[in-house]
Amino acid sequence: MVRSKKSLTGFVLSVKKVMSYRVCPICSSPWRSTQFAWLSQCSSCDFLVSDLSGSPESTTEVMCEASRAEALKYLRQENFKKILKGLKNILPSFTGKNLLDVGCAHGWFLTLAQKAGFHCIGIEPSSAPQLDPEISQMGIEVRCGYFPNACEKSEQFDVIVFNDVFEHLPDIRSAIEACRDHIKPKSFLILNVPSAKGLFYRLAVQLARFGVNGPLERLWQKDLPSPHLVYFTPTHLRDFVKAYGFSPLGEVPLETISLKGLWSRIRYVSQLSIVTSSFLYIVIAMIFPFINWAPRDTYCEIFQKKGDPL
Ligand SMILES: [Zn+2]
């Protein structure tokens, strides 16, 4: 994340209007352009938005869903356990509480949360992620559709969670308003998003200054089916959510990378050669002990809706 008040590259080009947001959704300031036509930055608070659209046909990266799932499963599940542990510190008993997982993908969080005591419901618009067999075995309801349309108007939850979903939404303002409507008073919202303060994001920004754009484009998931449309820092996320009647309760520290599953994660984008993949794996393995000390590229926070219990 760039801390200066200049644009991403230091060159302020012009004031630009972004498709979904006339002004910054966090501080209402106008946009400025960056070196990338698809990326704009707030002229006041530096919040980043893209106007990328999903392009499964134009992508040169061939994603194998099974490989992707294998690559991500271990890391995701470990992080999901940490989220539930963090929630347990705030909500001692999950029994009798209902939880909505928006964009539940394979349903890995749902199965862990249901085992922990929640009554879980998932929403998933895409048919690409194959649901974990445990979902049907455990009788967990997964609705096909989008939030909040897949919910009944009066339906409310004790917990709503977005795991790597919020940054893909076309309008974060209407999404957070819908969260406010569908979360019970004094109940909880969990947002797990990529962080523009993270080590890898900052490295990618520095490389982009020297014309090496690939890593930054990859972090935004440019030319992939579901690109990122916003990129938060922890401060941006808190400021944004607080403005809609939620109190931040604290970060749940998550891991960005794990050696287990790393090879699959590197290889699931088949564009990389074996030599390049091997080189990347060795470099990451060598610096791995230091990565945990660096700012994380994933940020997760639990928020509580204000208001008296019903
Ligand atoms: Zn702003």
Side-chain angles (χ1 to χ4, degrees):
M1 177 65 196
V2 178
R3 296 304 306 151
S4 77
K5 291 296 176 188
K6 293 179 180 177
S7 71
L8 184 73
T9 53
F11 300 101
V12 178
L13 302 176
S14 63
V15 173
K16 186 184 174 188
K17 189 174 167 183
V18 175
M19 195 186 300
S20 298
Y21 310 102
R22 193 176 57 79
V23 292
C24 172
I26 301 200
C27 73
S28 302
S29 298
W31 299 109
R32 63 180 170 222
S33 298
T34 70
Q35 73 182 96
F36 300 102
W38 50 269
L39 182 62
S40 295
Q41 191 166 31
C42 174
S43 58
S44 177
C45 76
D46 288 343
F47 185 57
L48 291 158
V49 298
S50 83
D51 58 4
L52 294 170
S53 52
S55 50
E57 285 83 21
S58 64
T59 183
T60 53
E61 294 178 326
V62 180
M63 296 173 68
C64 170
E65 185 52 38
S67 301
R68 186 176 186 276
E70 183 195 337
L72 292 174
K73 188 170 184 177
Y74 177 78
L75 183 63
R76 288 268 165 94
Q77 287 193 320
E78 289 304 301
N79 281 338
F80 292 163
K81 287 175 193 168
K82 288 181 181 175
I83 292 172
L84 288 169
K85 198 173 167 190
L87 196 54
K88 195 86 183 171
N89 293 332
I90 299 162
L91 191 64
S93 173
F94 299 157
T95 307
K97 309 285 185 189
N98 62 353
L99 177 148
L100 178 70
D101 182 358
V102 180
C104 63
H106 304 276
W108 298 329
F109 186 77
L110 290 172
T111 56
L112 289 171
Q114 184 99 351
K115 284 174 192 169
F118 279 111
H119 171 73
C120 293
I121 294 173
I123 295 176
E124 174 57 47
S126 170
S127 58
Q130 198 173 3
L131 277 178
D132 191 294
E134 277 196 300
I135 291 289
S136 57
Q137 290 163 14
M138 296 171 80
I140 298 172
E141 180 188 0
V142 174
R143 302 171 186 171
C144 181
Y146 291 90
F147 176 78
N149 295 347
C151 295
E152 298 291 332
K153 213 172 176 60
S154 61
E155 203 169 15
Q156 286 200 310
F157 298 90
D158 296 291
V159 179
I160 295 183
V161 59
F162 292 78
N163 284 311
D164 299 304
V165 169
F166 210 71
E167 66 277 14
H168 297 277
L169 301 180
D171 186 352
I172 56 173
R173 295 162 305 188
S174 59
I176 198 75
E177 283 170 0
C179 287
R180 196 174 50 194
D181 292 343
H182 289 282
I183 292 176
K184 296 174 188 173
K186 295 292 219 180
S187 291
F188 305 98
L189 170 66
I190 301 174
L191 296 175
N192 173 6
V193 295
S195 171
K197 281 284 194 184
L199 171 68
F200 289 104
Y201 193 88
R202 290 187 198 211
L203 285 174
V205 167
Q206 294 306 316
L207 287 169
R209 287 179 191 272
F210 295 99
V212 182
N213 298 334
L216 192 66
E217 291 178 350
R218 184 69 185 80
L219 285 173
W220 278 89
Q221 302 196 2
K222 184 175 179 288
D223 298 328
L224 289 177
S226 184
H228 293 169
L229 302 180
V230 294
Y231 228 108
F232 289 96
T233 64
T235 304
H236 286 141
L237 187 69
R238 278 193 216 113
D239 288 349
F240 173 68
V241 178
K242 274 162 70 178
Y244 288 84
F246 290 88
S247 304
L249 297 184
E251 180 189 3
V252 180
L254 302 181
E255 303 305 325
T256 304
I257 203 158
S258 159
L259 285 183
K260 188 171 176 180
L262 177 62
W263 178 249
S264 304
R265 203 172 172 191
I266 292 171
R267 290 296 296 157
Y268 86 73
V269 176
S270 61
Q271 200 179 19
L272 294 176
S273 70
I274 284 281
V275 175
T276 308
S277 301
S278 304
F279 177 74
L280 201 57
Y281 182 88
I282 291 166
V283 168
I284 293 174
M286 284 174 68
I287 65 169
F288 184 74
F290 305 101
I291 289 175
N292 285 335
W293 292 93
R296 293 179 172 86
D297 280 74
T298 296
Y299 186 77
C300 179
E301 177 130 20
I302 302 175
F303 297 90
Q304 185 172 32
K305 181 176 158 179
K306 293 175 184 170
D308 298 325
L310 291 171

